[in-house]
Amino acid sequence: MVQRVAAEPDPHFRAGRGEPVLLLHGLLLTWQSWGAVIDELSGDHEVFAPTLPGHWGGPAVSGPATFTALADFVAAVMDENDWPTAHLVGNSLGGWLALELAARGRARSVVAIAPGGLWEADVPATQQLIRKYRAFGPVLGVGAGSSAPSMVRSLVIPLLAHRPAAVPHALATACAAAPAHCHVVDDLAQDPTLANGFTGLAEIQAPVTVLLCEHDRLLPPRFHGRGIAAPGVESRTLPGVGHVPMLEAPDLVTAEIRTAIGRAASHG
């Protein structure tokens, strides 16, 4: 599955049967970033992994991309699948969107991996994040619309994984190619919602697990001041991984997702 990555990816990937699990990728990437997690979960769940608007292979954006508009897209995807609720799993931007959908009552459980939006309002974290993306953007060819040379792969993967050598070659190639086809970074950077982050934790009824990443170079654990100690939220740090832990430790990520799903079942 993940090995066929040379061409533009399909807009989504579906596999398996069972309770629904929705996987939401991070900024600049595509559903392919979930790698072997899709294969492992689809053994006993129906897994749907879409690519977000404005990302490689995903739908075009019809207006300025905002966090609300992206959350609306995810809600529409769930409606198209006839999923009133699902187990929502998101990484980075996808983690923020999973929390947004949970606040709308669409979650059976939530796993937010290195999520955006859990910073305190109006703190330097948001500006640091914007500066990182703007600094790395030209180097990585963000929005340039061309295929990434091998040199770009050598720059992208160390930003996403703590152990680049552990990332399968084809998966690394796919993730390195994706940023050149992402066209929403500037819009999201200008969205006023960014400064305040996600503010709806109190509205979420489903169990929430927040997973931080020990060696996260984009959203270090210290950025997550809000929510990690909130009532009903379980939080912990995944050891030895970077910002997109699925790339280098899919078994670890799958185990955490299964634990969260089991936690939701025990809560009835």
Side-chain angles (χ1 to χ4, degrees):
M1 179 268 299
V2 171
Q3 278 66 35
R4 301 192 296 270
V5 294
E8 178 178 296
D10 291 333
H12 62 261
F13 190 89
R14 183 196 302 274
R17 288 186 175 184
E19 280 200 79
V21 176
L22 185 68
L23 301 178
L24 301 172
H25 65 81
L27 184 62
L28 305 181
L29 301 176
T30 74
W31 64 262
Q32 293 173 319
S33 64
W34 290 98
V37 170
I38 293 177
D39 298 319
E40 294 179 18
L41 286 176
S42 62
D44 51 6
H45 293 87
E46 182 179 3
V47 178
F48 190 81
T51 290
L52 296 171
H55 292 72
W56 194 25
V61 291
S62 57
T66 64
F67 293 96
T68 297
L70 293 179
D72 290 344
F73 166 80
V74 177
V77 164
M78 295 182 69
D79 292 341
E80 291 168 6
N81 283 332
D82 293 323
W83 288 0
T85 61
H87 297 287
L88 306 180
V89 184
N91 172 229
S92 193
L93 169 61
W96 185 338
L97 297 179
L99 293 168
E100 290 280 359
L101 268 293
R104 300 184 187 187
R106 304 299 298 265
R108 302 183 187 189
S109 68
V110 181
V111 178
I113 305 167
L118 290 186
W119 42 71
E120 300 294 343
D122 299 318
V123 297
T126 56
Q127 294 306 315
Q128 290 180 36
L129 184 61
I130 291 171
R131 284 197 296 270
K132 284 182 181 180
Y133 275 106
R134 292 202 185 283
F136 291 132
V139 178
L140 306 182
V142 172
S146 59
S147 298
S150 58
M151 180 189 71
V152 172
R153 184 174 68 234
S154 70
L155 298 173
V156 172
I157 302 308
L159 288 175
L160 305 180
H162 177 57
R163 296 174 293 120
V167 183
H169 175 79
L171 183 56
T173 299
C175 291
H181 306 274
C182 179
H183 304 287
V184 298
V185 174
D186 287 339
D187 283 353
L188 293 178
Q190 295 170 22
D191 185 346
T193 305
L194 183 66
N196 289 327
F198 175 69
T199 58
L201 274 173
E203 301 167 33
I204 298 177
Q205 300 300 312
V208 175
T209 302
V210 174
L211 300 175
L212 310 182
C213 300
E214 182 182 15
H215 299 289
D216 194 328
R217 297 183 62 187
L218 295 175
L219 279 174
R222 68 178 183 276
F223 277 18
H224 300 273
R226 177 192 287 150
I228 58 175
V233 175
E234 285 197 3
S235 66
R236 51 187 166 273
T237 299
L238 299 180
V241 295
H243 185 64
V244 187
M246 308 88 73
L247 301 180
E248 57 189 320
D251 291 347
L252 175 63
V253 173
T254 301
E256 290 286 355
I257 295 170
R258 291 190 183 281
T259 296
I261 292 173
R263 179 185 169 205
S266 68
H267 285 199

